[in-house]
Each structure stands twice: as structure tokens, then as C-alpha cells.
Amino acid sequence: MAPWGELFAGVRGVLLDISGVLYDSGAGGGTAIAGSVEAVARLKRSQLKIRFCTNESQKSRAELVGQLRRLGFDISEGEVTAPAPAACQILKERGLRPHLLIHDGVRSEFDQIDTSNPNCVVIADAGESFSYQNMNSAFQVLMELESPVLISLGKGRYYKETSGLMLDVGPYMKALEYACGIQAEVVGKPSPEFFKSALQAIGVEAHQLLSM
């Protein structure tokens, strides 16, 4: 077994997941995972560059960071790569006007996006908003488009809260794919472009990165 110094030679940056790695979400702001606050503090005292990369799509970055800071983490909004801002950039670049099937907690991220006369659908972890009526409305928008575009903020199957496992956006994304005969464009993990944007933010190449 090689020494730790040899194993980590050439590592310049660390990419940290948030949910399930730093904390478990849930009522009352969730709970920090044992040792995670101290681990982040130690990493920040090191010479490594750090980026937090999350598929969180029920909270804006500002809300997420505020919650993490209350749990004791040293983190700022500018250190977080999240799918909603990345999706907004894509929408602007491609002139897309989304029908939004998203959680109210992340809706503020789309305040500067034109949602009139939709020519695509953006789906995220909408929680209680995943009703038949809302899913059917998204389905109808897609079926009326000549070239339907479905953008999904992640494709996870489920995630963990303090109360137990919760369905994520993936099963609902797959339902729309199946019903409309299309393939969603995933913005968030595990999309390679999403990870590349996180690497660019800290100026580190993939082979110089440790991901957790």
C-alpha cells in the first residue's frame, strides 16, 4: 500500500458533494454528518482548492448555504455549483422559455428567465408539486412542441432525509421521457459538463482532483 503522500501527489483540488456527504436534509434544517464540519474546516486550512457540487433542486443556493452555515460549515454561495443556475445559463444561451415543474424553494433562481409561451420543460425535484395535474401539464407542453426539449436538474432515483428515503427527480423524468418518446438533457450530476463547470470554477484539471 502506497503512503498517503504518494497517493495524493498531484492533487490540487477537492470536489465535495453536500447532501448525504456533509449533511442529511430534513425537518429543522437537517443534521450535519459526524465529523463533516471539522473535515471541511481542515480542507480549507490546506493548500487545496475546494468546490461544493450539489444536485440540490429544492432550495436556492442562498437558502442552502444559509442552512449549512447554521449547521457550522464555513461555506459561501460563490463556492457552490448547483443545477438551477447552470440550467438558467443554458436557457439564456439557447433562447429557451421553460415550463417549470420545480419546487417553490428554487423558483427564485429562475426570476430572470422568460417563461411565456414555453418551448421546453424544466423539471426538478418538485416534492409535493409532483401531482398528476402538474405532470400532465408538463407532458402536454412537450407533446405540443415540434422539437420537444426536456431539461432535468439531475436524475437521481432517491435521496436520504432524516425521516428516511425520498423519491428524487429521476423517476418523474423517466415518466416524461417514456410518455413523450424523448430523452431528457440532464443538468447536474452525473452530467460531464456539470462537473467540468465546477472544475473551471477552481481552475483544476480532472486528474488533479479528489472527489467525495
Side-chain angles (χ1 to χ4, degrees):
M1 192 73 177
W4 282 105
E6 184 178 332
L7 284 172
F8 291 104
V11 173
R12 294 182 51 222
V14 178
L15 199 60
L16 291 174
D17 197 354
I18 294 179
S19 180
V21 173
L22 301 185
Y23 89 119
D24 287 328
S25 59
T31 58
I33 291 172
S36 59
V37 172
E38 295 78 11
V40 169
R42 286 197 299 270
L43 285 170
K44 289 213 162 188
R45 290 194 299 268
S46 75
Q47 300 300 311
L48 297 172
K49 296 182 178 180
I50 303 172
R51 190 74 182 174
F52 300 90
C53 193
T54 180
N55 264 7
E56 174 63 65
S57 62
Q58 286 197 351
K59 304 179 184 72
S60 67
R61 280 186 301 174
E63 183 182 354
L64 176 62
V65 166
Q67 181 175 334
L68 290 170
R69 290 181 69 86
R70 287 190 293 274
L71 291 175
F73 291 98
D74 177 12
I75 182 173
S76 67
E77 190 173 339
E79 294 176 302
V80 178
T81 296
C88 288
Q89 184 63 32
I90 291 171
L91 295 170
K92 291 175 181 177
E93 290 173 353
R94 292 166 56 180
L96 293 172
R97 303 178 304 277
H99 171 88
L100 297 173
L101 178 50
I102 62 177
H103 195 279
D104 285 344
V106 79
R107 198 168 293 274
S108 62
E109 298 275 19
F110 294 86
D111 282 348
Q112 304 303 313
I113 299 296
D114 182 6
T115 57
S116 63
N117 190 25
N119 58 4
C120 73
V121 167
V122 171
I123 184 173
D125 180 9
E128 297 297 328
S129 293
F130 276 136
S131 64
Y132 172 80
Q133 180 179 356
N134 290 341
M135 284 288 289
N136 197 52
S137 294
F139 162 75
Q140 290 173 334
V141 169
L142 291 168
M143 291 299 285
E144 290 172 359
L145 296 173
E146 183 176 344
S147 300
V149 175
L150 173 61
I151 296 175
S152 182
L153 306 191
K155 65 173 186 179
R157 294 178 295 168
Y158 57 84
Y159 58 92
K160 182 183 178 184
E161 286 198 346
T162 52
S163 60
L165 298 180
M166 311 292 287
L167 275 177
D168 204 343
V169 65
Y172 300 96
M173 178 198 81
K174 287 295 184 182
L176 290 175
E177 284 185 330
Y178 176 70
C180 301
I182 60 175
Q183 184 170 353
E185 301 177 27
V186 177
V187 178
K189 299 177 292 182
S191 166
E193 292 303 318
F194 188 66
F195 285 110
K196 287 178 184 177
S197 69
L199 295 179
Q200 289 169 357
I202 57 175
V204 170
E205 299 292 333
H207 68 275
Q208 300 171 319
L209 183 78
L210 182 65
S211 181
M212 299 178 184

